[in-house]
Amino acid sequence: MNNHTPPFDSSAFRRALGMFATGVTIVTARAGDGTPVGMTANSFNSVSLDPPMVLWSLAKSARSLPVFHAAEHWNVHILANEQNDLANRFARAGEDKFAGLSLEPALADAPFLAGCSARFQCRTVFRYEGGDHIIFVGEVVGFDRSEMAPLLYVSGEYALATRLASPIATEVTGAADASAEPAPFTEQLLGYLLGRAHYQFMWGFRRTLDELGISHGEFFVLSLLAVRAALDADQITAHTAYTGIAADTALLSAMRARGLLSASADPAPRYALSPAGHAASRRVLAAAHAVEAALVEQLGGREAAGLRNLLKHLIRASDPGLPTLWGASA
Ligand SMILES: Cc1cc2nc3c(=O)[nH]c(=O)nc-3n(C[C@H](O)[C@H](O)[C@H](O)COP(=O)(O)O)c2cc1C
């Protein structure tokens, strides 16, 4: 019989714990000499509603341990999704974590940070030994919240919270046949979802494009030249070819003839928006912004932030090597 227990794999334990998604907090207190301390903690949790109590746990190795041990009050800041830099700052040892931060007045002396999703002002009521951590239980003496979407932490990485979407209404085209091949075209197909979302979005401001008599290709050129001044035809093509729409010299000449573009002298003219082109671009952008604002209103700010984040990932992952649109010279 083998009585040996397998050696405990603490990094596997950490990775398993990392599957429990949490928010991210900064917990702060003030030393007797007035020095502020604070640290990033995701061990925060609710304990009791009546009386209101919360907990978090602090590593015995933390430099701030003696201060939290002695402090009667501490504040828990639930970080907003734009505060990941602050989370990193308060997770690092050896720097002035509070440098440049403006603090807000609080009920007690613990530092009170701004711009968070929620804040709990607490008074220590219990402290428990918890292995290599100390568990602090606090009575909540004050709290507030904002509409800022919270920052999450899962599998060792920061993340955003988005609601699970309900299925898109689809037509049922007959009884399911268990022996049939899985349908090649389903609601889960990323290409379908992206394409449909794109065209439904465009639908909302297509009327403005039609009113201005602006084609799809011209719309791309207008949008490009609204952020990049004076490009030649090759540069414009390099930016727009991925759309499958040829922004060739014929299209550019036609836009010039209609007064939407101005061009420098041949042989390699550089195109820019004319005053009329700028006006058209502003009208289209205003219509697109209105569609976006209505959608964000429906989706909610949190979903919109999550969607922007995912789309940026997708654009980075699928980039065939396009020139940089913003912040680069021609
Ligand atoms: C997302 C995240 C969550 C963390 N959660 C905790 C925690 O709950 N308890 C803890 O003791 N340390 C936690 N840490 C580590 C501390 O933030 C880090 O050790 C910090 O430097 C301690 O500060 P101090 O040594 O100045 O007290 C976490 C770090 C990160 C990035």
mmCIF file of all heavy atoms in Angstrom, residues 14-42:
data_model
loop_
_atom_site.group_PDB
_atom_site.id
_atom_site.type_symbol
_atom_site.label_atom_id
_atom_site.label_comp_id
_atom_site.label_asym_id
_atom_site.label_seq_id
_atom_site.Cartn_x
_atom_site.Cartn_y
_atom_site.Cartn_z
ATOM 1 N N ARG A 14 -3.113 27.476 -8.035
ATOM 2 C CA ARG A 14 -3.297 28.885 -8.407
ATOM 3 C C ARG A 14 -4.099 29.013 -9.706
ATOM 4 O O ARG A 14 -5.013 29.825 -9.821
ATOM 5 C CB ARG A 14 -1.919 29.498 -8.649
ATOM 6 C CG ARG A 14 -1.664 30.804 -7.998
ATOM 7 C CD ARG A 14 -0.211 31.142 -8.331
ATOM 8 N NE ARG A 14 0.490 31.617 -7.177
ATOM 9 C CZ ARG A 14 0.518 32.884 -6.812
ATOM 10 N NH1 ARG A 14 -0.127 33.784 -7.508
ATOM 11 N NH2 ARG A 14 1.185 33.253 -5.745
ATOM 12 N N ARG A 15 -3.702 28.173 -10.701
ATOM 13 C CA ARG A 15 -4.395 28.241 -12.000
ATOM 14 C C ARG A 15 -5.856 27.837 -11.857
ATOM 15 O O ARG A 15 -6.743 28.421 -12.479
ATOM 16 C CB ARG A 15 -3.689 27.351 -13.037
ATOM 17 C CG ARG A 15 -2.408 27.959 -13.589
ATOM 18 C CD ARG A 15 -2.003 27.308 -14.917
ATOM 19 N NE ARG A 15 -1.785 25.872 -14.776
ATOM 20 C CZ ARG A 15 -0.668 25.323 -14.317
ATOM 21 N NH1 ARG A 15 0.342 26.090 -13.963
ATOM 22 N NH2 ARG A 15 -0.547 24.019 -14.220
ATOM 23 N N ALA A 16 -6.119 26.826 -11.001
ATOM 24 C CA ALA A 16 -7.510 26.399 -10.785
ATOM 25 C C ALA A 16 -8.299 27.511 -10.097
ATOM 26 O O ALA A 16 -9.430 27.820 -10.488
ATOM 27 C CB ALA A 16 -7.537 25.122 -9.957
ATOM 28 N N LEU A 17 -7.683 28.154 -9.090
ATOM 29 C CA LEU A 17 -8.363 29.271 -8.426
ATOM 30 C C LEU A 17 -8.632 30.405 -9.409
ATOM 31 O O LEU A 17 -9.641 31.102 -9.311
ATOM 32 C CB LEU A 17 -7.502 29.804 -7.274
ATOM 33 C CG LEU A 17 -7.401 28.921 -6.036
ATOM 34 C CD1 LEU A 17 -6.421 29.539 -5.039
ATOM 35 C CD2 LEU A 17 -8.761 28.719 -5.379
ATOM 36 N N GLY A 18 -7.712 30.560 -10.377
ATOM 37 C CA GLY A 18 -7.835 31.633 -11.367
ATOM 38 C C GLY A 18 -9.061 31.491 -12.252
ATOM 39 O O GLY A 18 -9.452 32.430 -12.936
ATOM 40 N N MET A 19 -9.694 30.298 -12.251
ATOM 41 C CA MET A 19 -10.914 30.113 -13.048
ATOM 42 C C MET A 19 -12.110 30.794 -12.387
ATOM 43 O O MET A 19 -13.175 30.897 -12.988
ATOM 44 C CB MET A 19 -11.229 28.615 -13.234
ATOM 45 C CG MET A 19 -10.137 27.832 -13.922
ATOM 46 S SD MET A 19 -9.628 28.565 -15.480
ATOM 47 C CE MET A 19 -11.004 28.100 -16.512
ATOM 48 N N PHE A 20 -11.944 31.191 -11.128
ATOM 49 C CA PHE A 20 -13.020 31.919 -10.448
ATOM 50 C C PHE A 20 -12.834 33.399 -10.780
ATOM 51 O O PHE A 20 -11.911 34.044 -10.271
ATOM 52 C CB PHE A 20 -12.925 31.665 -8.938
ATOM 53 C CG PHE A 20 -14.057 32.276 -8.159
ATOM 54 C CD1 PHE A 20 -15.370 31.906 -8.404
ATOM 55 C CD2 PHE A 20 -13.812 33.224 -7.175
ATOM 56 C CE1 PHE A 20 -16.417 32.464 -7.684
ATOM 57 C CE2 PHE A 20 -14.853 33.787 -6.453
ATOM 58 C CZ PHE A 20 -16.158 33.405 -6.710
ATOM 59 N N ALA A 21 -13.698 33.912 -11.667
ATOM 60 C CA ALA A 21 -13.568 35.312 -12.085
ATOM 61 C C ALA A 21 -13.966 36.231 -10.932
ATOM 62 O O ALA A 21 -14.941 35.965 -10.230
ATOM 63 C CB ALA A 21 -14.464 35.568 -13.291
ATOM 64 N N THR A 22 -13.198 37.264 -10.725
ATOM 65 C CA THR A 22 -13.488 38.211 -9.642
ATOM 66 C C THR A 22 -13.443 39.631 -10.186
ATOM 67 O O THR A 22 -12.967 39.865 -11.296
ATOM 68 C CB THR A 22 -12.422 38.123 -8.527
ATOM 69 O OG1 THR A 22 -11.178 38.559 -9.087
ATOM 70 C CG2 THR A 22 -12.278 36.718 -7.975
ATOM 71 N N GLY A 23 -13.882 40.565 -9.377
ATOM 72 C CA GLY A 23 -13.584 41.962 -9.641
ATOM 73 C C GLY A 23 -12.171 42.251 -9.149
ATOM 74 O O GLY A 23 -11.457 41.342 -8.710
ATOM 75 N N VAL A 24 -11.768 43.486 -9.250
ATOM 76 C CA VAL A 24 -10.444 43.892 -8.748
ATOM 77 C C VAL A 24 -10.654 45.085 -7.822
ATOM 78 O O VAL A 24 -11.376 46.022 -8.174
ATOM 79 C CB VAL A 24 -9.502 44.293 -9.906
ATOM 80 C CG1 VAL A 24 -8.123 44.647 -9.385
ATOM 81 C CG2 VAL A 24 -9.415 43.189 -10.944
ATOM 82 N N THR A 25 -10.044 45.025 -6.646
ATOM 83 C CA THR A 25 -10.178 46.144 -5.710
ATOM 84 C C THR A 25 -8.806 46.698 -5.347
ATOM 85 O O THR A 25 -7.791 46.038 -5.535
ATOM 86 C CB THR A 25 -10.852 45.706 -4.379
ATOM 87 O OG1 THR A 25 -9.892 44.990 -3.590
ATOM 88 C CG2 THR A 25 -12.075 44.841 -4.615
ATOM 89 N N ILE A 26 -8.825 47.925 -4.840
ATOM 90 C CA ILE A 26 -7.659 48.446 -4.113
ATOM 91 C C ILE A 26 -8.152 48.720 -2.698
ATOM 92 O O ILE A 26 -9.182 49.382 -2.513
ATOM 93 C CB ILE A 26 -7.111 49.732 -4.760
ATOM 94 C CG1 ILE A 26 -6.452 49.393 -6.109
ATOM 95 C CG2 ILE A 26 -6.085 50.411 -3.843
ATOM 96 C CD1 ILE A 26 -5.997 50.601 -6.904
ATOM 97 N N VAL A 27 -7.452 48.155 -1.721
ATOM 98 C CA VAL A 27 -7.817 48.387 -0.326
ATOM 99 C C VAL A 27 -6.785 49.345 0.262
ATOM 100 O O VAL A 27 -5.574 49.170 0.046
ATOM 101 C CB VAL A 27 -7.850 47.067 0.477
ATOM 102 C CG1 VAL A 27 -8.481 47.294 1.851
ATOM 103 C CG2 VAL A 27 -8.613 45.991 -0.262
ATOM 104 N N THR A 28 -7.262 50.359 0.939
ATOM 105 C CA THR A 28 -6.355 51.388 1.466
ATOM 106 C C THR A 28 -6.541 51.565 2.974
ATOM 107 O O THR A 28 -7.619 51.284 3.517
ATOM 108 C CB THR A 28 -6.623 52.761 0.808
ATOM 109 O OG1 THR A 28 -7.990 53.099 1.057
ATOM 110 C CG2 THR A 28 -6.370 52.735 -0.682
ATOM 111 N N ALA A 29 -5.483 52.035 3.616
ATOM 112 C CA ALA A 29 -5.553 52.398 5.048
ATOM 113 C C ALA A 29 -4.489 53.472 5.272
ATOM 114 O O ALA A 29 -3.725 53.810 4.357
ATOM 115 C CB ALA A 29 -5.290 51.185 5.921
ATOM 116 N N ARG A 30 -4.447 54.011 6.498
ATOM 117 C CA ARG A 30 -3.445 55.037 6.789
ATOM 118 C C ARG A 30 -2.701 54.653 8.067
ATOM 119 O O ARG A 30 -3.329 54.237 9.053
ATOM 120 C CB ARG A 30 -4.113 56.409 6.945
ATOM 121 C CG ARG A 30 -3.139 57.563 6.771
ATOM 122 C CD ARG A 30 -3.851 58.900 6.782
ATOM 123 N NE ARG A 30 -4.573 59.207 5.564
ATOM 124 C CZ ARG A 30 -4.031 59.724 4.470
ATOM 125 N NH1 ARG A 30 -2.732 59.975 4.415
ATOM 126 N NH2 ARG A 30 -4.776 60.005 3.411
ATOM 127 N N ALA A 31 -1.368 54.765 7.993
ATOM 128 C CA ALA A 31 -0.539 54.449 9.159
ATOM 129 C C ALA A 31 -0.711 55.542 10.221
ATOM 130 O O ALA A 31 -1.180 56.645 9.913
ATOM 131 C CB ALA A 31 0.925 54.357 8.735
ATOM 132 N N GLY A 32 -0.296 55.231 11.444
ATOM 133 C CA GLY A 32 -0.396 56.185 12.547
ATOM 134 C C GLY A 32 0.320 57.494 12.253
ATOM 135 O O GLY A 32 -0.118 58.564 12.681
ATOM 136 N N ASP A 33 1.435 57.411 11.463
ATOM 137 C CA ASP A 33 2.178 58.642 11.141
ATOM 138 C C ASP A 33 1.601 59.362 9.926
ATOM 139 O O ASP A 33 2.197 60.311 9.415
ATOM 140 C CB ASP A 33 3.667 58.310 10.901
ATOM 141 C CG ASP A 33 3.872 57.453 9.647
ATOM 142 O OD1 ASP A 33 2.873 57.120 8.963
ATOM 143 O OD2 ASP A 33 5.035 57.110 9.352
ATOM 144 N N GLY A 34 0.459 58.886 9.422
ATOM 145 C CA GLY A 34 -0.204 59.564 8.308
ATOM 146 C C GLY A 34 0.135 58.990 6.937
ATOM 147 O O GLY A 34 -0.465 59.380 5.933
ATOM 148 N N THR A 35 1.104 58.042 6.864
ATOM 149 C CA THR A 35 1.486 57.478 5.560
ATOM 150 C C THR A 35 0.336 56.639 4.990
ATOM 151 O O THR A 35 -0.173 55.750 5.676
ATOM 152 C CB THR A 35 2.725 56.554 5.710
ATOM 153 O OG1 THR A 35 3.715 57.266 6.440
ATOM 154 C CG2 THR A 35 3.264 56.117 4.365
ATOM 155 N N PRO A 36 -0.053 56.926 3.715
ATOM 156 C CA PRO A 36 -1.110 56.102 3.118
ATOM 157 C C PRO A 36 -0.549 54.765 2.632
ATOM 158 O O PRO A 36 0.573 54.716 2.131
ATOM 159 C CB PRO A 36 -1.578 56.950 1.932
ATOM 160 C CG PRO A 36 -0.397 57.774 1.554
ATOM 161 C CD PRO A 36 0.430 57.977 2.804
ATOM 162 N N VAL A 37 -1.304 53.685 2.774
ATOM 163 C CA VAL A 37 -0.926 52.399 2.167
ATOM 164 C C VAL A 37 -2.116 51.898 1.352
ATOM 165 O O VAL A 37 -3.274 52.270 1.608
ATOM 166 C CB VAL A 37 -0.519 51.314 3.200
ATOM 167 C CG1 VAL A 37 0.679 51.741 4.014
ATOM 168 C CG2 VAL A 37 -1.694 50.933 4.084
ATOM 169 N N GLY A 38 -1.804 51.064 0.379
ATOM 170 C CA GLY A 38 -2.875 50.515 -0.446
ATOM 171 C C GLY A 38 -2.347 49.350 -1.239
ATOM 172 O O GLY A 38 -1.155 49.293 -1.532
ATOM 173 N N MET A 39 -3.208 48.413 -1.539
ATOM 174 C CA MET A 39 -2.786 47.274 -2.352
ATOM 175 C C MET A 39 -3.944 46.721 -3.170
ATOM 176 O O MET A 39 -5.104 46.829 -2.793
ATOM 177 C CB MET A 39 -2.199 46.178 -1.487
ATOM 178 C CG MET A 39 -3.165 45.652 -0.474
ATOM 179 S SD MET A 39 -2.529 44.212 0.317
ATOM 180 C CE MET A 39 -2.408 43.106 -1.041
ATOM 181 N N THR A 40 -3.581 46.174 -4.307
ATOM 182 C CA THR A 40 -4.570 45.532 -5.171
ATOM 183 C C THR A 40 -4.944 44.192 -4.549
ATOM 184 O O THR A 40 -4.074 43.433 -4.131
ATOM 185 C CB THR A 40 -3.956 45.324 -6.574
ATOM 186 O OG1 THR A 40 -3.569 46.606 -7.056
ATOM 187 C CG2 THR A 40 -4.929 44.677 -7.526
ATOM 188 N N ALA A 41 -6.249 43.917 -4.488
ATOM 189 C CA ALA A 41 -6.711 42.657 -3.891
ATOM 190 C C ALA A 41 -7.952 42.169 -4.627
ATOM 191 O O ALA A 41 -8.873 42.943 -4.883
ATOM 192 C CB ALA A 41 -7.017 42.856 -2.415
ATOM 193 N N ASN A 42 -7.943 40.886 -4.991
ATOM 194 C CA ASN A 42 -9.169 40.331 -5.585
ATOM 195 C C ASN A 42 -9.814 39.305 -4.651
ATOM 196 O O ASN A 42 -10.728 38.602 -5.042
ATOM 197 C CB ASN A 42 -8.904 39.717 -6.970
ATOM 198 C CG ASN A 42 -8.057 38.479 -6.902
ATOM 199 O OD1 ASN A 42 -7.329 38.289 -5.939
ATOM 200 N ND2 ASN A 42 -8.128 37.646 -7.919
#
